[in-house]
Amino acid sequence: MPDISLTMIVLLCLAALAAGWIDAVVGGGGLLLLPVLLLGLPSHTPAAHALGTNKAVAIVGTTGAAVTYARKAPVDVRTAVRIGLAALAGSSAGAFFAAGMSTDVLKPVIMVVLLAVAAFVILRPAFGTAPATGTATRRQILAAIGLAGLGIGFYDGLIGPGTGTFLVLALTAVLHLDLVSASATAKIVNCCTNAGALATFAWQGAVLWQLAALMAVFNLAGGTLGAHTALKKGSGFVRVVLLTVVFALVANLAYEQWLA
């Protein structure tokens, strides 16, 4: 366990709970969890350790959400697994390159990603509200494997925050899924990206396992609850929560980067 206060450990666990819930509903739990880890861990902690710990926590909540979705939501498991295998390869490669990144480089990148996601959510409020159009074509599946699998998988291993959201957006756009079906599919793919990145970080010794195990319990509870919420209420009301969290984190990271 890193040398951090009990208060900070409690805050990290609560962040893991909230991140699991957000990630299961609309994706993007890492938008909350990774910045909180970067801010909460001692300043001398390498960025790779924050990334690796984030993956160890997220894979538990993502798996719980994926199981919940698979039981109750319409999911083409075969297509999801094919995209997921490509994503596993992409995330493994991304995690390999992430080892040399520093926190000073990572924080501005995360801020740009946060603002990009916020802009998309604001400008396209009706995105993904139409019902799924049916079975995807071969060309659509190949495009999803390339974009959502290899492309977003590489990003997930390299940086991570917003992967779930990017997957939902890509799967909705390419496969013409509704948001609930896209979220369900994204969870299966995200399990693979998390597994690939986590394996690389673990091999590099960049995972704080004791802290990750504690936070993972809360992340699992949040992920399971979030999947049930999405299935019952949809993702509309979560947009407001997500935007609030995004802008708060951008302000906090900007303060830490340039004003503190």
Side-chain angles (χ1 to χ4, degrees), residues 26-27 79 83 87 117 120 124 127-128 136 139-153 155 162-179 181-183 185-186 189:
V26 293
T79 297
I83 299 171
V117 170
F120 190 93
R124 300 292 298 274
F127 184 76
R139 180 175 295 180
Q140 289 174 327
I141 292 174
L142 289 175
I145 289 173
L147 175 61
L150 294 174
I152 298 178
Y155 167 82
T163 295
T165 302
F166 294 148
L167 283 173
V168 171
L169 298 177
L171 292 171
T172 302
V174 176
L175 299 180
H176 302 300
L177 301 175
D178 60 79
L179 279 175
S181 297
S183 293
T185 305
V189 176

Side-chain angles (χ1 to χ4, degrees), residues 232-243:
K232 289 181 179 181
K233 296 184 178 181
S235 62
F237 78 102
V238 184
R239 292 175 186 272
V240 177
V241 179
L242 179 60
L243 286 172

Side-chain angles (χ1 to χ4, degrees), residues 105-201:
V105 173
L106 199 58
K107 287 181 180 179
V109 173
I110 293 174
M111 281 187 274
V112 172
V113 172
L114 286 165
L115 291 173
V117 170
F120 190 93
V121 172
I122 292 172
L123 296 174
R124 300 292 298 274
F127 184 76
T129 58
T133 58
T135 304
T137 65
R138 176 180 173 82
R139 180 175 295 180
Q140 289 174 327
I141 292 174
L142 289 175
I145 289 173
L147 175 61
L150 294 174
I152 298 178
F154 182 84
Y155 167 82
D156 189 35
L158 183 65
I159 302 175
T163 295
T165 302
F166 294 148
L167 283 173
V168 171
L169 298 177
L171 292 171
T172 302
V174 176
L175 299 180
H176 302 300
L177 301 175
D178 60 79
L179 279 175
V180 173
S181 297
S183 293
T185 305
K187 291 305 103 186
I188 297 174
V189 176
N190 213 177
C191 284
C192 296
T193 65
N194 285 337
L198 178 58
T200 302
F201 284 123

